[in-house]
């Protein structure tokens, strides 16, 4: 994926793949709420703002069908925690 792909509304395949890999890791946690909090925290801490905004823009435009359920639920319910500036 290039920066151009997300800037022109293209499908951010690598971002979707990486988000689902993160989701796979945290999906093993027994506490789903904590898992979602941890996914959001991981995205905020380790992804550049441009990556987070591209992921959210794609999610907003296309829905969560390409995402694992836990990732889709996290993008929906933890939006502010994901897009806020790194601390």
């Amino acid at each position: 994926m290039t920066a151009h792909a997300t800037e022109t509304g293209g499908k951010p395949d690598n971002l979707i793949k990486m988000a689902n890999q993160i989701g796979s890791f945290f999906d093993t946690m027994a506490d789903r709420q904590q898992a979602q909090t941890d996914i959001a925290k991981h995205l905020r801490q380790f992804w550049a703002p441009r990556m987070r905004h591209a992921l959210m823009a794609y999610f907003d435009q296309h829905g969560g069908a390409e995402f694992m359920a836990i990732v889709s639920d996290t993008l929906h319910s933890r939006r502010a925690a994901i897009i806020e500036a790194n601390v």
Side-chain angles (χ1 to χ4, degrees), residues 14-24 43 47 55 67 71:
N14 286 340
L15 297 181
I16 294 167
K17 179 181 176 181
M18 290 188 302
N20 282 331
Q21 289 172 334
I22 294 163
S24 290
L43 293 174
W47 285 32
L55 184 71
F67 297 96
V71 175

Side-chain angles (χ1 to χ4, degrees), residues 2 5 11-12 17 30 39 41 43 47 49 51 55 57 63 66 70-71 73 77 79-80 84:
T2 64
K11 183 177 168 186
K17 179 181 176 181
I39 291 170
K41 182 178 178 183
L43 293 174
W47 285 32
M51 294 168 65
L55 184 71
E66 298 183 65
I70 194 166
V71 175
D73 292 346
S77 66
R79 176 183 202 89
E84 71 184 22

